Amino acid sequence: MVFATKSTSACFSHRLFPRVIGSTRHRPFTASSKRHGDINGRPSIAPKPSVNIKHIRENPLLYAQNCIDRNYESLAQNPLRIIELSKKCDELDQHIRPLRSRKKMLEEGLKVPKIAPDKQAGLGGSSLEELGSLKPQLMTLKNKLSRTQAEIERLALELPNLTSTEAPQAKDPVIVGWINLHRQPPHMQPPHPQHPPPSLDKTSKSHIEIGKELDLLDFEAASMTTGWGWYYLKNEAALLEQALVQYTLSVVAKKGWVVVSPPSIVYSHMAEACGFRPRDKNGEQQIYTLEQGDKLKPELSLAGTAEIPLAAMKANKVMSYNDMPIKMVGVSRCYRAEAGSRGLDTKGLYRVHEFTKVEMFAWAPPDSACHDLPYSITTVWDEMLQTQLEILRDLNLHCRVLEMPATDLGASASRKRDIEAYFPSRQGKGGGWGEVTSTSICTDYQSRRLGTRVRLADPSVSPVYAYTANGTALAVPRVIMAILENGWDEERGVLVIPEVLRPWMGGIGIVKKKDKPPAKELDGNKKASSQSG
């Protein structure tokens, strides 16, 4: 493997560039009232978000430019709006303080701090009258203050995470490494370091054709059963899915990661806290929500990745410094509506609504608390990346490693690297490359929204918000697609299974076309044939 080394320490001071990247605009990350305490609201045990509003007020231009860099231009005014509303809060507080002090003095003077209205007669005088007039004034001002503070929090929660200086300044990703430059299946020649493997001949087949020829995939039945974006895996393909999961878990577990089987249904506010929006930039549905008979119950969603339930495991928790880093790997079914993707990559396994994925997730103290430690969130992130490289290398897939720009970081990631595999059937889409894994550092974006903190070694220091990182160990459908297309031997008409998967498939190394059994005649046909003879 050829891999371009680069400083992996994520520095979170940031650049300011007077530019607007592209014209694509993300839809703001809004938190609807029903998700925050009204009908279908958050349960009482839900974590309370704690965004660093002070830092936003002190660095409004930083946050505004960060929104522009990440294609969230519609949110670029939020920091200045937060400053304006903060001044309003100060003004309201200045009005409330003297009134509160006067109210307290009157109550102490009357010695009736909470006297009932029917017992106020006889206390007389202007003190009672003044006290009676102060209460509605204070209530009105306090309500205004509460609404203003809630609006500040809403605007702050909408803002995406700050971008690491490791992210490329340009709008395009930067290639930082390759996998299997000179290690290809026997029937393929080694590729040039700057070009995809030379498998672009006329006999290259898509995984759809291969799956149909070898009786491995059935899209027609799935479209009848559920609709577009679903599929059936059959015969060796079904075994291949289980083999990929077991092989991946064996690799990750050996590195000390705790294996978890998480739920696939989560509260919607948990998904939002992790940075997953219910709709995309065009307002198209991205997350499946579940209707509940009782409208007072909090809204539920089908998780788009195990990252969400894994992150939620430590919601409202204070973790011990001695337990860091905490590393977990979960296998789950994932559900993504991706309604806005209709018409793009709609054929085959590349973009589907339901799939199995193995996900890595980790917590570590913030970088400021890791100076004397042999690890940080960046070293754990590097371990995730190396694990991905090992798995894809041993699957004989030709891949490239990309450092992703700010425009591709979404809401939660501060830094991200994607790995793209080569798919012969995607020659006309990105030169044949398609994402198979992603690894992100989210700093304290998720932990601040989930209430996940770390108690440091010094007991006199208050717990701090943890840093989180996540990475795809393996997404099954796209890897199956890559194995089918890159492992197909046109000359022999067979699919070659990667050696590392064969122990998990009962020793199967070659998948051939199934021989159809001879058609059996019905008894009635036999009798008719004998009578005619």
Side-chain angles (χ1 to χ4, degrees), residues 355 362 485:
F355 57 96
E485 296 192 3

Side-chain angles (χ1 to χ4, degrees), residues 93-108:
D93 190 56
Q94 290 175 5
H95 285 86
I96 289 173
R97 286 182 182 179
L99 293 178
R100 185 188 293 120
S101 298
R102 179 62 179 167
K103 175 175 176 289
K104 182 178 180 181
M105 184 180 68
L106 290 172
E107 289 175 340
E108 290 178 350

Side-chain angles (χ1 to χ4, degrees), residues 36-70:
H36 279 269
D38 296 334
I39 297 176
N40 279 357
R42 298 154 60 94
S44 60
I45 61 173
K48 178 175 174 54
S50 180
V51 183
N52 192 345
I53 296 175
K54 179 182 178 181
H55 193 262
I56 298 173
R57 290 199 303 261
E58 293 174 347
N59 301 276
L61 296 182
L62 168 65
Y63 281 87
Q65 185 63 51
N66 185 63
C67 290
I68 294 172
D69 291 345
R70 295 172 76 119

